[in-house]
Amino acid sequence: MDLHLKNLLDRFQEQFGSGPGLGPGSGTCLMKVEGVAPSFIKSIFKASAALYRTDPWRRLRPGHLFGIRVGKDLDWSGKKQPFSCAQFIGGDGGDIGFLMFRSENDAKKMTGSRETVRIPNVEVLRVTYERESLMFPSNRKMIKSLSLEASGTAHFPVIDVARCTSSGDLRFRSPTLEELRFVYAFLKAISLLHPLLQGDREGGPKWSMLMHFEPFIETVDVQWPPELTKGHDLVAVTVSHPPGQAYEEMATSTGSSTPTNYAEPPKEDAFLDENVYPNAGLRQCASCNKEVQGEQSLCCGQCRAVVYCSSICQNKHWKETHKSECGHYKVMMEKEEELAMKIFMFPCSADQPCRWLESLGIHQKGMWRRRCTCYSHCPFGLLPVKGGLWDSWGGLDDEEYPRDSPFHNHLRDAMSGPILLSGWLEYYNLRTMPLSSPVADILSYPLTVYHILTALSISSKNLLLKGKEVILHYLGPEGELDWMPAFAEVGHLLNGLGNIHIVMVGPEVPTNLSGSTSGIGSRVRVNLVRGVYQEEATYLPSPHVIVALNCGLDYYVNWVGALDLIKSRGTPAFFTDESEISCANAKKVLRSAGLLITLPVTPNPFRSPVKNLGASCNLPSYSNGFVLGVNT
């Protein structure tokens, strides 16, 4: 009887179980994947939620196939990419998610008009968004124990690998750690790139209801989570539509042609003498890593992206790896100016702030007056204010600064609850601001605070999810005292749930502002208190969390008393500093004060200047660069 019931249940699940026509989920729990860390699972769920918010299913259907390339072939086992093709499913009904195929041929064979066609002995990795109430108990337990981020209203990704046997039965297995790494890179890249697809009205049959897009290929740098970095923080991810777009040469070569997959190594005359670049300085041979002077190096005459110390190294490198990469590098070099992202040359904001602000037309205007020394004579918090958000942002164009309005028009299913962001690109996307907007340089402060409350401090995040108020003590404010309009963005990101009471305490608070309270929107209020924290703390409401941005722990003696107080209270506290070196010094100060450090030196996704907005933009950070936690 038990066997009979089991067979009935299996048949029921196969007919009505989760999945776009493939049958039931495998019941896999990511915690059981060999080598996977809880922190990486959190990163996957965070990236998955970020993709969900961009709502690709509004335009994409299974017929829209995407080519994928993550890093180099040598980065993956078998020297081959785990997947090369992906499609989105559910836009025209059924479970929403995406499928990843080993090859474009597999994808075409398995793509039916509405459902996935079962092809014997072909594996497909599935990521589907399911309601928590319908998930297997093991997955629900994992979500609860790790406080994983939801996608939309109580939706969570389910990841497994399905295969149809020769007899027509379905078999499932858990994804491997390598496959999860690949999925993570795809999640991060596709959420940024799919909105760039341009419709092509003449691209398909007139009778077809399927939207057609212009041929597309873009490369973006994806930052690996800290637990996956092995000497390299970034990986280049190329997404193309249709899939072959990245590897086939156009009939007529133009400046934007896609690359060729060359069949044999370039001949000797294909080398380019590097002395045409007299200021190149030291370069590194791509094969042996030997440093050579620019005028003595040779570079690949096809892609012009890699250099060598000799023709011997060039031929060796071609046979080992460059043969499969040359075309990929060529398309990147053809877009060299675009990928350089000169609009994000933010170092001026630290080295020559006046010149940088003048180039943007905002020098000595609005909140930007605190980004240079021209108004250093004016105490913090007392910059003359004309009034109006447009004036506060220095008269930037309307689409270049965040308006005082909620985000709900940009979110799927009008979901409620705090909006959890992974970094600047996602924020700019939600605000539909051009990447040339410099506002991140000021928003770094309020969005770092928001990131700490919603991503790093579990207790604060839980309070916000319950619709309660979080009290935050903000230590040592300076320029922030003149940037209150920017802190309104924190209230909008709360998206209708919870409140934040910020108490800013420091010796730079003007006497005539001390004790004042102001409402920054409907969900954020700010108290200003002049004085040293350890002397004023007893008169303040008890905090849920303490934050100090760019604190310079190893420079100011006043921190000694403040750290003693934080230790005695046991309050969760977070400190940021400009560089990894200064954070390392800060850790020594904290340990000498007897405080428990619970976070490693972690890159802050909302550091400023903007580091990862562009595919090749890799600029140093000058404020809020790294974060570490105490007593969390």
Side-chain angles (χ1 to χ4, degrees), residues 99-111:
L99 306 179
M100 304 186 80
F101 303 90
R102 303 288 184 192
S103 68
E104 182 183 358
N105 187 44
D106 287 350
K108 290 179 177 178
K109 287 192 297 185
M110 297 186 72
T111 301

Side-chain angles (χ1 to χ4, degrees), residues 343-601:
I343 54 176
F344 284 112
M345 290 301 177
F346 273 74
C348 293
S349 68
D351 301 334
Q352 298 175 314
C354 292
R355 279 183 58 185
W356 174 64
L357 295 169
E358 284 172 355
S359 70
L360 297 169
I362 52 178
H363 187 225
Q364 297 187 350
K365 294 181 180 180
M367 295 185 288
W368 302 102
R369 289 172 289 180
R370 278 290 174 231
R371 300 311 282 158
C372 66
T373 58
C374 293
Y375 275 78
S376 58
H377 61 280
C378 184
F380 291 111
L382 296 180
L383 283 176
V385 179
K386 292 182 180 180
L389 198 59
W390 182 77
D391 287 315
S392 295
W393 284 111
L396 291 171
D397 291 341
D398 284 350
E399 71 277 4
E400 289 188 319
Y401 65 90
R403 310 309 298 269
D404 190 12
S405 60
F407 286 81
H408 61 76
N409 290 334
H410 303 286
L411 299 175
R412 181 179 174 83
D413 298 335
M415 68 180 212
S416 61
I419 301 169
L420 304 179
L421 300 173
S422 60
W424 284 119
L425 276 167
E426 189 178 355
Y427 171 77
Y428 271 64
N429 242 358
L430 283 174
R431 272 299 182 205
T432 60
M433 290 189 302
L435 297 181
S436 55
S437 169
V439 296
D441 202 40
I442 287 178
L443 284 171
S444 168
Y445 291 81
L447 264 63
T448 293
V449 168
Y450 185 77
H451 172 67
I452 289 171
L453 292 179
T454 57
L456 301 181
S457 175
I458 300 300
S459 57
S460 298
K461 178 181 177 181
N462 288 337
L463 285 172
L464 293 172
L465 290 174
K466 293 175 183 176
K468 297 183 179 181
E469 182 177 75
V470 171
I471 299 173
L472 179 141
H473 286 184
Y474 192 116
L475 311 189
E478 293 182 346
E480 302 96 309
L481 298 170
D482 293 296
W483 297 335
M484 289 302 150
F487 279 81
E489 208 54 352
V490 173
H492 294 311
L493 287 167
L494 288 174
N495 197 34
L497 201 62
N499 298 281
I500 297 177
H501 178 193
I502 302 175
V503 183
M504 291 189 172
V505 187
E508 298 297 337
V509 174
T511 304
N512 60 328
L513 293 182
S514 184
S516 64
T517 303
S518 58
I520 311 296
S522 61
R523 297 195 170 271
V524 179
R525 59 193 173 103
V526 179
N527 274 109
L528 302 180
V529 178
R530 179 181 177 86
V532 180
Y533 181 63
Q534 57 269 30
E535 297 174 0
E536 302 295 333
T538 54
Y539 306 105
L540 306 177
S542 297
H544 296 108
V545 64
I546 297 170
V547 168
L549 306 187
N550 295 338
C551 53
L553 280 175
D554 52 338
Y555 293 118
Y556 301 110
V557 294
N558 279 342
W559 277 116
V560 176
L563 295 179
D564 287 341
L565 178 62
I566 292 171
K567 179 186 176 183
S568 65
R569 285 188 165 187
T571 306
F574 295 85
F575 302 84
T576 73
D577 226 318
E578 297 177 2
S579 69
E580 230 169 331
I581 295 175
S582 56
C583 260
N585 293 333
K587 290 178 77 171
K588 294 177 183 177
V589 174
L590 293 170
R591 285 201 178 97
S592 65
L595 284 160
L596 173 68
I597 300 171
T598 58
L599 286 181
V601 176

Side-chain angles (χ1 to χ4, degrees), residues 211-251:
M211 181 183 293
H212 288 264
F213 299 104
E214 294 179 0
F216 172 90
I217 174 173
E218 286 292 340
T219 299
V220 64
D221 278 357
V222 167
Q223 185 162 14
W224 289 118
E227 60 273 8
L228 290 186
T229 56
K230 297 179 180 178
H232 302 285
D233 290 341
L234 302 177
V235 63
V237 182
T238 299
V239 175
S240 61
H241 172 76
Q245 189 71 13
Y247 304 103
E248 296 175 0
E249 186 77 42
M250 293 292 189

